[in-house]
């Protein structure tokens, strides 16, 4: 998914702010897909799986903006979704898109939750039923909900030292002003409360020798978040590449 997004963004001329919004929508829809499909199921007479893929994607994006992006006015989210439907040569579905989004607004953007506890948790936190069932059996309801809520938060950035080229003392000295702390669980990994996104990591990489360290998200953006809940890791990305991408987030 990340490769497809990167390729698409490099093919179009857009301001950086617009690319940033595309990135937020892209990963946001992937993360909240189960929740968004549950909403569509309520407002669409046709089964979600049988909706035109383009129309379904437009509705996903529109619903995500209405539900999770407070800085985008509701009216703008609906209007742009309808316009996008027409621009994608799906004009016949523009009325349907408009009706679904406005019906959701009339219902005060309430997520339709079933009475069954497992299904409700699955929809609320966009987690597959098998994972919810596993967590409930292992940890109980309170810890399961706390776990899933935490998994939906933005992934913190972790710096991993290259032990072949730098000692722990060298890395800590180079980054001392960033209040780096050693990760309690991951070997040769360090984190800081002020390192929250790629832009800061990009700034930091300019202070380090080449391949001194690598940066990675604790949750992978290449997988649905619920897989990251289990794996909590991804292949490290060279810090220089983070530097090149520093303005994306």
């Amino acid at each position: 998914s990340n490769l497809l997004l990167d390729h698409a963004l490099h093919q179009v001329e857009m301001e950086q702010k617009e690319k940033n919004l595309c990135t937020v929508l892209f990963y946001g829809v992937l993360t909240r897909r189960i929740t968004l499909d549950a909403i569509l199921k309520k407002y669409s007479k046709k089964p979600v799986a049988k909706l035109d893929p383009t129309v379904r994607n437009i509705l996903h994006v529109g619903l995500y903006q209405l539900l999770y992006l407070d800085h985008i006015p509701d009216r703008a989210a609906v209007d742009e979704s309808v316009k996008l439907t027409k621009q994608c040569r799906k004009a016949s579905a523009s009325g349907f898109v408009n009706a679904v989004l406005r019906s959701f607004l009339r219902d005060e953007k309430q997520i339709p939750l079933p009475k069954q506890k497992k299904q409700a948790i699955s929809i609320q936190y966009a987690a597959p039923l098998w994972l919810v069932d596993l967590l409930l059996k292992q940890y109980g309801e309170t810890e399961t909900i706390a776990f899933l809520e935490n998994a939906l938060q933005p992934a913190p950035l972790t710096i991993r030292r290259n032990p072949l080229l730098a000692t722990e003392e060298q890395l800590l000295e180079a980054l001392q002003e960033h209040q780096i702390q050693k990760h309690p669980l991951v070997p040769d990994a360090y984190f800081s409360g002020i390192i929250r996104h790629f832009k800061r990591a990009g700034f930091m990489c300019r202070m380090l020798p080449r391949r001194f360290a690598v940066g990675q998200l604790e949750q992978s953006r290449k997988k649905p978040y619920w897989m990251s809940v289990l794996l909590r890791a991804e292949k490290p990305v060279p810090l220089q590449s983070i530097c090149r991408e520093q303005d994306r987030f």
Side-chain angles (χ1 to χ4, degrees):
S1 59
N2 63 313
L3 296 178
L4 289 174
L5 178 63
D6 289 344
H7 177 74
L9 291 179
H10 280 99
Q11 298 300 310
V12 296
E13 293 185 5
M14 299 170 62
E15 293 185 5
Q16 191 59 48
K17 289 183 178 180
E18 294 177 322
K19 290 186 177 182
N20 292 344
L21 177 59
C22 286
T23 301
V24 169
L25 292 173
F26 181 82
Y27 288 117
V29 168
L30 286 180
T31 299
R32 300 281 188 169
R33 180 71 176 268
I34 293 175
T35 304
L36 300 175
D37 278 344
I39 297 171
L40 280 182
K41 183 178 179 181
K42 177 181 178 180
Y43 294 103
S44 173
K45 294 181 180 180
K46 183 181 294 187
V48 175
K50 293 186 178 182
L51 290 174
D52 179 270
T54 300
V55 174
R56 184 173 62 241
N57 288 337
I58 291 171
L59 283 167
H60 281 158
V61 172
L63 288 170
Y64 183 84
Q65 292 177 79
L66 294 176
L67 200 53
Y68 301 111
L69 298 186
D70 295 335
H71 66 283
I72 296 180
D74 292 344
R75 181 176 180 180
V78 174
D79 290 346
E80 289 302 316
S81 296
V82 173
K83 290 179 182 178
L84 184 59
T85 306
K86 296 176 180 178
Q87 291 171 0
C88 292
R89 299 181 180 180
K90 303 292 180 180
S92 60
S94 60
F96 170 69
V97 170
N98 183 67
V100 169
L101 297 180
R102 293 195 180 280
S103 295
F104 183 55
L105 284 175
R106 280 196 297 272
D107 288 342
E108 299 181 347
K109 298 189 278 191
Q110 294 295 313
I111 298 174
L113 299 177
K115 294 181 180 180
Q116 297 84 354
K117 182 185 299 183
K118 292 179 184 178
Q119 286 82 348
I121 292 175
S122 171
I123 292 172
Q124 181 72 45
Y125 300 102
L129 273 173
W130 66 264
L131 176 60
V132 173
D133 186 57
L134 178 65
L135 292 175
L136 287 173
K137 289 178 180 178
Q138 299 259 351
Y139 303 105
E141 183 177 352
T142 300
E143 290 196 23
T144 292
I145 291 175
F147 193 74
L148 294 174
E149 284 181 342
N150 178 266
L152 286 169
Q153 300 306 309
L157 190 73
T158 300
I159 300 298
R160 298 197 67 183
R161 177 175 63 90
N162 186 334
L164 299 178
L165 297 178
T167 65
E168 180 175 314
E169 290 73 21
Q170 288 175 311
L171 178 65
L172 294 176
E173 181 180 356
L175 301 176
Q176 58 182 342
E177 66 179 275
H178 296 281
Q179 303 172 22
I180 297 298
Q181 302 175 45
K182 191 168 183 177
H183 200 289
L185 300 175
V186 183
D188 295 320
Y190 308 82
F191 68 95
S192 169
I194 62 175
I195 305 175
R196 292 294 183 183
H197 47 71
F198 284 111
K199 189 170 184 179
R200 283 193 181 274
F203 170 76
M204 289 172 58
C205 82
R206 290 193 289 272
M207 306 190 310
L208 297 174
R210 183 172 178 82
R211 296 185 63 80
F212 198 88
V214 297
Q216 71 178 60
L217 292 176
E218 289 190 17
Q219 292 178 4
S220 171
R221 292 182 181 275
K222 300 177 182 178
K223 315 176 186 71
Y225 94 91
W226 47 265
M227 290 183 66
S228 301
V229 168
L230 301 179
L231 303 178
R232 302 296 291 183
E234 70 171 322
K235 183 178 179 181
V237 178
L239 207 56
Q240 280 71 26
S241 69
I242 292 179
C243 186
R244 291 194 298 269
E245 301 291 330
Q246 62 176 306
D247 293 326
R248 285 184 51 200
F249 296 91

